[in-house]
Amino acid sequence: MRRYDDGMAFVPPPASVTVDLVALTVHQGGLAALLVRRGEAPYRGRHALPGGFVRQREDLDQAAGRELAEETGLAVDGVYVEQLASYGHPRRDPRGRVVTVAYLALVPGAPAVRGGGDAARADWVDLDTDAAIPSGLAFDHARILSDGVGRARAKLEYTPLATVLCLPEFTVAELRLVYESMWGVALDPRNFHRKVTRAEGFLEATGRTTGRNGGRPAQLYRRGTARLLMPPMLRPDPS
Amino acid sequence: MRRYDDGMAFVPPPASVTVDLVALTVHQGGLAALLVRRGEAPYRGRHALPGGFVRQREDLDQAAGRELAEETGLAVDGVYVEQLASYGHPRRDPRGRVVTVAYLALVPGAPAVRGGGDAARADWVDLDTDAAIPSGLAFDHARILSDGVGRARAKLEYTPLATVLCLPEFTVAELRLVYESMWGVALDPRNFHRKVTRAEGFLEATGRTTGRNGGRPAQLYRRGTARLLMPPMLRPDPS
DNA sequence: CCAAAAGTGTTTCAATTACACCCATGA
DNA sequence: TCATGGGTGTAATTGAAACACTTTTGG
């Protein structure tokens, strides 16, 4: 931090800035999060969110994309990334004052991941039972993960975000599975079908069908052009 | 940043962290934001959001509350504050690498404010016409202000947040004015009344009335106990 | 033909809209 | 008693939930 005005230059307290990622996917009918094993101190050997220090000439969003690629080997395109929140408790990191900017990443299809950088290894970890977030996460990462899952669940209600958890072409049943996995509820297939196919700009028909499974082949769809904020979305009873 | 493990200690890039506040209120039937005149370089004399450096032993939320009090003289209790987003473009601040964590504050009643700290003066500035955000704001504060207004508008749709823009006791008409000011639309007074008084936990009757104006005295209400996430909220046609 | 999954039609019910109407006060 | 804003009743419309039923495939 260089001086700016006069001899009385105020020196701001030094800090470091990291990014951490809550990367979620739908995996065998359940929600899963991407966790790494830390290869370095502190918290060496513990589960943690992928992430790391922001570089000198890097924007926060860039840093998030870079860390995702470095520590997990995922290609950034095809992954939806948005900023989640920042965490800055003075003693959240034993190395000193570290403020982290957390990102939420939604990854279609649970692709294979590999470790890299600070991460000894990276894996998709199931979050089946509601509060079954792996205990013993490094730093305040349990809290961040929990916030990320909450944000993702909430946003499915009023945005067309569920489509980013599907591969580029998908069936209505696959899309329904995303909602059911994220919320842990069963949705009526008939009503769900009508709702998503009627919603303007939500889905775009490809004309093709798929026929792998036992029954009638399903239509294949692409993500529609509608971007965020699409209020009349679906949601089970608030019970 | 002290060393942690061995002689190879990685030195993270130094940075500073600030908090900035988008403080909004409803003022004479319109939305207004709190802006300061900067008393120090850089951008001395320009409009800016209130804010400043986070101290060494301070959590981010604490820093936001402290800056709000210091630069504007507002008491923090009675003001709703939530984290908005973080901004970290490498050259967003000419003094060096400064990442800012922005907060959204909703202030009832447009109370008088005064400058203090880095702020030469502080004032409520009307945001009448949609994009009439004062040009020439310091740093990237125009963008941050715009994001804050967007967040506040969106959240009225699906949370009972509008009540925090009213004084502790308020009438249904005053609450309606908040929605109308924030969205720039007219709402049907009759239907609005039913909706908010029926909604479970939204309002709490005090039993008292007010009779200052020309017509029938209105019931006075307090904020109900319902906290965030209350989906069936009100919203004009998506036109 | 049967099982299985996709997709449609129809009834029922609840929420929202539009608007006529009544209530309580000050001048 | 009139103007003014507060508050209620009610019919028409819309959207969601429940579920019977038809369609299209593989064995």
Side-chain angles (χ1 to χ4, degrees), chain B residues 113-231:
Chain B
V113 290
R114 49 147 241 267
D118 284 351
R121 46 174 299 139
D123 290 292
W124 292 111
V125 176
D126 285 331
L127 303 179
D128 301 326
T129 51
D130 238 347
I133 283 170
S135 55
L137 257 58
F139 308 106
D140 51 1
H141 287 187
R143 168 78 194 287
I144 299 175
L145 175 54
S146 164
D147 289 353
V149 171
R151 169 88 134 253
R153 282 198 177 123
K155 273 204 135 176
L156 293 199
E157 275 181 55
Y158 56 95
T159 72
L161 206 58
T163 54
V164 307
L165 280 165
C166 294
L167 295 169
E169 297 199 349
F170 53 91
T171 67
V172 172
E174 286 164 356
L175 180 62
R176 178 163 47 83
L177 183 64
V178 169
Y179 284 94
E180 292 179 331
S181 304
M182 293 286 289
W183 290 339
V185 298
L187 299 173
D188 185 306
R190 290 80 58 103
N191 293 332
F192 182 88
H193 185 278
R194 239 194 317 266
K195 207 157 179 176
V196 297
T197 52
R198 295 261 204 283
E200 196 67 24
F202 190 23
L203 300 184
E204 187 178 322
T206 64
R208 278 181 305 177
T209 61
T210 190
R212 288 187 284 282
N213 28 14
R216 169 177 173 176
Q219 298 289 120
L220 280 170
Y221 294 88
R222 268 189 295 273
R223 254 192 287 298
T225 52
R227 279 290 152 249
L228 302 191
L229 281 179
M230 182 186 189

Side-chain angles (χ1 to χ4, degrees), chain A residues 1-2 4 10 12-16 41-42 53-60 83 85-86 88-90 94-95 97 158, chain B residues 1-2 4 10 12-13 15-16 41-42 53-60 83 85-90 94-95 97 158:
Chain A
M1 183 73 31
R2 67 188 165 86
Y4 200 81
F10 166 71
S16 294
F53 288 99
V54 176
R55 293 186 182 160
Q56 194 63 54
R57 300 236 161 79
E58 202 177 39
D59 199 355
L60 301 174
Q83 198 183 295
S86 295
H89 189 282
R95 290 169 295 187
R97 188 67 201 256
Y158 57 94
Chain B
M1 183 73 29
R2 68 188 166 86
Y4 199 82
F10 165 71
S16 295
F53 288 100
V54 177
R55 294 184 181 161
Q56 194 63 232
R57 302 237 160 81
E58 200 176 40
D59 199 355
L60 301 175
Q83 198 183 294
S86 295
Y87 300 81
H89 189 282
R95 292 169 295 187
R97 189 67 202 256
Y158 56 95

Side-chain angles (χ1 to χ4, degrees), chain A residues 11-33:
Chain A
V11 178
S16 294
V17 179
T18 58
V19 292
D20 287 306
L21 285 128
V22 177
L24 302 177
T25 197
V26 170
H27 183 51
Q28 296 169 350
L31 180 61

Side-chain angles (χ1 to χ4, degrees), chain A residues 55-108:
Chain A
R55 293 186 182 160
Q56 194 63 54
R57 300 236 161 79
E58 202 177 39
D59 199 355
L60 301 174
D61 294 5
Q62 283 174 45
R66 176 180 54 74
E67 288 290 347
L68 183 63
E70 273 182 22
E71 297 209 346
T72 69
L74 287 178
V76 183
D77 50 298
V79 177
Y80 171 89
V81 179
E82 72 169 38
Q83 198 183 295
L84 178 60
S86 295
Y87 300 81
H89 189 282
R91 289 186 303 282
R92 61 175 293 282
D93 187 318
R95 290 169 295 187
R97 188 67 201 256
V98 179
V99 171
T100 195
V101 182
Y103 280 78
L104 175 65
L106 301 182
V107 183

